[in-house]
Each structure stands twice: as structure tokens, then as C-alpha cells.
Amino acid sequence: QLRRTPGLLGDSLLARILRRRFWTLSVWDGETALQQFVVEPPHGHVMLALREKMGQTHFVRWSMRGAEFPPSWQDALTRRDAA
């Protein structure tokens, strides 16, 4: 679903499976495209179904210039820790 969603410019997944920790890093051409993905099935349904099984979810958003694309995981995790 993610790769077929209009407005997605890039995405990546970081997983620590044994620790049950997962992070996603995605770049969108705007907030509207991101919100459309979040609520559409199957993503919306899966997130509702997993709500009780998931830990605290944190979102960090920032804007970037084209020359900064793609973002690095190091930058994303630094921003998460600072938030």
C-alpha cells in the first residue's frame, strides 16, 4: 500500500525484531498525502487492530529541501531523541 500511495517520495524501515522495536522513515510531498495513507485501508484498519498490542508511538515531522533528500537514519534518530 505504501509504495502505491500518491505523494510518497521515499520510505525505509528500521527493525529490531527481537526487541520488538520498529521505526519507519518516510518522505511525503505534503501533509495531505501522508494523512490519506494513514486513514486508508489496509493501514488504517491494521493500526486500529494493533493499538492494544503496540507500545507508545511517537511521530517526528520536519521539512527538507530537495538537496537534503534522502534523509539519513542518523538524522532521523537524532531528531527523534531531541523531540
Side-chain angles (χ1 to χ4, degrees), residues 29-79:
D29 72 1
E31 185 69 22
T32 301
L34 170 59
Q35 291 306 318
Q36 187 70 28
F37 167 75
V38 168
V39 299
E40 283 191 2
H43 183 269
H45 292 133
V46 170
M47 291 299 101
L48 285 174
L50 291 176
R51 182 180 286 168
E52 299 300 319
K53 294 178 170 74
M54 292 175 54
Q56 181 69 24
T57 302
H58 301 278
F59 298 94
V60 179
R61 292 184 172 108
W62 71 92
S63 296
M64 62 182 357
R65 297 180 187 277
E68 299 168 327
F69 184 82
S72 70
W73 270 106
Q74 181 178 347
D75 181 36
L77 294 173
T78 298
R79 289 173 184 273

Side-chain angles (χ1 to χ4, degrees), residues 4-5 7 15 17 19 21-22 24-26 37 42-44 47 50 54-56 62 67 76 80 82:
R4 294 186 319 265
T5 302
I17 296 172
R19 293 182 186 176
R21 301 288 308 242
F22 302 88
T24 57
L25 176 59
S26 57
F37 167 75
H43 183 269
M47 291 299 101
L50 291 176
M54 292 175 54
Q56 181 69 24
W62 71 92
R80 180 210 55 191

